[in-house]
Amino acid sequence: MVNVIISGAPGSGKGTQSELLVSRFQLIHFSTGDLLRHEIAAQTPLGIEADSFISKGNLVPDSMIIDIITSAINRTCPKNCAGILFDGFPRTREQAVALEVMMNGRGTPVSLCIDLQVPERELIERLLTRGQTSGRSDDNLETIRKRLEVFEQKTKPVNEYYQELGKYVAIDGTGTIEEIFSRIEAVLKGK
Ligand code: AP5
Ligand code: MG
């Protein structure tokens, strides 16, 4: 069983690479952003609250996200599944610690954190292009800048946490989607 985190700045390609990883390695994929956007689309109380953070480029509170991911895992992941792919989670050190405790408690520890590295100018270009069709409330220049700032302040420390645990791998997230996937695949094949 391989449990993988795909990490990286907004627009670094987490969702794009997750799709390929799921079909190649039969992993169960959790994108906390997608889970929250489903709640927003359904206009649930949780979704309405989450949207007030997301549309401004802020993170939703740790307690909310930890509850969502814990119940999603307990609901859909048998302990003998091929593995879990976490996309956009954890995003704070507190979330990372909670995930370690949960996965170690299940006897299925996190194997690796893969960090997709892309220069800021390219991130902004990708997100602005996507914003022309995505309908996402956070794909506009002002909110993109805020998301990048929050990433620097709150999410980069998560990389240090996995470095300390010896579970961190940085990957060049530029080039074609296929080139990037080959880099990730090479790392995972060694696991
Ligand atoms: P989330 O949905 O996770 O968004 P994000 O991190 O901002 O990242 P994106 O989904 O925008 O980008 P991505 O890295 O998936 O890239 P993609 O593959 O789409 O989170 C949204 C919000 O929800 C957060 O801001 C926060 O408020 C909240 N949230 C979520 N998780 C949370 C958590 N754990 N804690 C607290 N709050 C949380 O690619 C981007 C674009 O680039 C696409 O158009 C794609 O086609 C294109 N592209 C991809 N690869 C390439 C390539 N190689 N070359 C050219 N274009 C490419
Ligand atoms: Mg995404």
Side-chain angles (χ1 to χ4, degrees), residues 5 7-8 59 62 88-97 99 113 115 151-165 167-168:
I5 295 161
S7 161
L59 297 182
D62 286 336
F89 174 86
R91 259 172 146 99
T92 63
R93 204 174 168 106
E94 290 71 19
Q95 292 179 18
V97 171
L99 182 64
C113 173
D115 178 24
F151 172 75
E152 285 294 323
Q153 285 171 2
K154 303 213 168 140
T155 306
K156 279 236 174 124
V158 173
N159 293 338
E160 286 152 31
Y161 177 76
Y162 287 107
Q163 269 164 9
E164 288 160 20
L165 295 179
K167 296 180 178 180
Y168 174 82

Side-chain angles (χ1 to χ4, degrees), residues 8-17 31-34 36-37 53-54 57-60 62 65 87-91 95 122 126-127 130 136 138-139 147 173-177 180:
S12 57
K14 301 183 293 295
T16 304
Q17 295 299 326
S31 156
T32 41
D34 288 348
L36 292 168
R37 281 185 289 278
F53 296 95
I54 294 176
N58 291 311
L59 297 182
V60 307
D62 286 336
I65 224 68
D87 161 1
F89 174 86
R91 259 172 146 99
Q95 292 179 18
E122 184 165 343
R126 287 184 189 180
L127 292 174
R130 189 180 65 187
R136 273 179 58 163
D138 56 353
D139 278 348
R147 286 156 72 193
T174 63
T176 66
I177 289 167
I180 300 160

Side-chain angles (χ1 to χ4, degrees), residues 100-119:
E100 276 299 297
V101 170
M102 184 198 350
M103 296 301 280
N104 291 345
R106 281 168 54 97
T108 58
V110 169
S111 320
L112 208 60
C113 173
I114 295 174
D115 178 24
L116 294 176
Q117 298 194 320
V118 177

Side-chain angles (χ1 to χ4, degrees), residues 24 27 46 50-52 60 63 72 78-79 89-90 97 104 116 124 136 140 148 166 168 175 189:
R24 171 71 179 79
L27 304 174
L46 190 150
D51 196 31
S52 67
V60 307
S63 57
K79 286 191 181 161
F89 174 86
V97 171
N104 291 345
L116 294 176
I124 294 172
R136 273 179 58 163
N140 59 78
L148 291 170
Y168 174 82
K189 275 189 181 155

